[in-house]
Amino acid sequence: MNYPLEHGAEATDTDTIVFLHGGSVAAWSWEPQVAGLPGRHLLTPDLPGFGARSTEDWRSLAETADDVAAAIAEHAHGGRAHLVGLSLGGLVAVQVMARHPGLLRSCLVSGVPLDGIHGLARFVNTLQLHLWGRPWYWRAQAKAFGLPADAVTVFVEHGLDIRPDNAARVFEDVNRGGSPEGLGGYRGPLLAVAGEKESRLVRDSLATLQTLLPQTRTWIAPGMHHVWSIEDAELFTRMVAGWVDDGTLPAAGR
């Protein structure tokens, strides 16, 4: 059972927002959103194999979704939450939509390669495993993601803490892709987002989600890379607040 980091426990009259991190970070990556959303009840769990749970095994997207669902049922106000997932966290959120739709008030996913990773991109993913324990690799990743200088040190330190065997299993799940059985049964609001500078694999997945879930709204975050919750924390936080509060999107972008 995952006991998530909880913020704003005193905000008993607000809906809960749950943030699911990407595959190269952990719960710490949501610190700017926690600071930017005062007076709200937030949960920022570490997924199995990451952060405070780095000694645990990553088993599958589906089992991780069940882990998140248990946390929502136990800790969220009224046993339901708005779910926000970035990258790997977005793939987990899609599984939660399919497996536990009744727990969600809404869902927002960003940077989700729902159709899987193929061709050269898959080869690069595999190559990364051979570089996993090298600090220069993580510094290069930070630069590629456009992370601000003050986030690089913790990004590198955390990346080196992720077990290579867990990373291999995560890559296998992400590379495979595919829409989970039952996803079409989710009837709640869904916002699917991609950074303007993300790969075509991510951008194409927006159309896939719209086909499977016609209520899906999409948005392109202008000038953003993959981990743009850190790259432009203010814009990401503003997007989450607008979506959760009244279904609006930031004026910037398209």
Side-chain angles (χ1 to χ4, degrees):
M1 171 62 193
N2 174 22
Y3 293 95
L5 295 176
E6 184 174 10
H7 317 270
E10 70 284 354
T12 57
D13 59 345
T14 66
D15 292 343
T16 300
I17 307 174
V18 179
F19 290 89
L20 304 181
H21 62 79
S24 54
V25 290
W28 63 264
S29 64
W30 298 117
E31 290 176 1
Q33 282 67 48
V34 171
L37 294 168
R40 298 177 186 257
H41 185 232
L42 312 176
L43 304 178
T44 57
D46 283 317
L47 300 179
F50 296 87
R53 305 178 70 184
S54 61
T55 60
E56 298 182 31
D57 292 338
W58 172 273
R59 298 188 182 278
S60 69
L61 289 167
E63 288 190 42
T64 303
D66 292 344
D67 185 89
V68 170
I72 292 173
E74 180 171 349
H75 296 279
H77 291 165
R80 301 178 68 215
H82 300 279
L83 188 58
V84 177
L86 176 73
S87 187
L88 177 64
L91 288 172
V92 174
V94 169
Q95 291 277 343
V96 176
M97 284 193 289
R99 298 169 70 87
H100 307 278
L103 297 178
L104 302 184
R105 299 182 185 277
S106 72
C107 191
L108 187 166
V109 297
S110 180
V112 174
L114 188 63
D115 299 323
I117 308 295
H118 310 285
L120 179 60
R122 177 174 288 199
F123 172 77
V124 171
N125 261 2
T126 302
L127 180 64
Q128 289 180 86
L129 292 174
H130 299 290
L131 306 174
W132 204 255
R134 304 184 183 186
W136 66 262
Y137 160 77
W138 289 100
R139 287 193 292 271
Q141 286 287 89
K143 183 176 181 180
F145 288 150
L147 301 188
D150 59 0
V152 171
T153 298
V154 66
F155 177 81
V156 172
E157 290 176 351
H158 174 261
L160 293 171
D161 197 42
I162 302 171
R163 287 166 30 198
D165 61 310
N166 273 334
R169 286 189 289 271
V170 167
F171 281 171
E172 184 177 351
D173 278 347
V174 173
N175 287 343
R176 184 186 308 114
S179 306
E181 182 179 354
L183 180 59
Y186 175 72
R187 305 300 184 199
L190 172 62
L191 175 61
V193 180
E196 185 178 23
K197 296 184 179 180
E198 291 204 70
S199 72
R200 182 175 177 178
L201 291 168
V202 169
R203 297 194 306 271
D204 286 350
S205 292
L206 302 185
T208 299
L209 282 169
Q210 284 186 310
T211 298
L212 295 169
L213 298 168
Q215 75 270 32
T216 303
R217 295 179 62 188
T218 64
W219 190 63
I220 301 296
M224 292 296 103
H225 298 80
H226 189 54
V227 191
W228 71 279
S229 58
I230 301 174
E231 184 182 8
D232 191 335
E234 188 278 332
L235 178 60
F236 194 98
T237 304
R238 181 156 46 94
M239 174 189 68
V240 171
W243 171 250
V244 166
D245 289 347
D246 49 28
T248 59
L249 297 175
R254 61 181 186 274

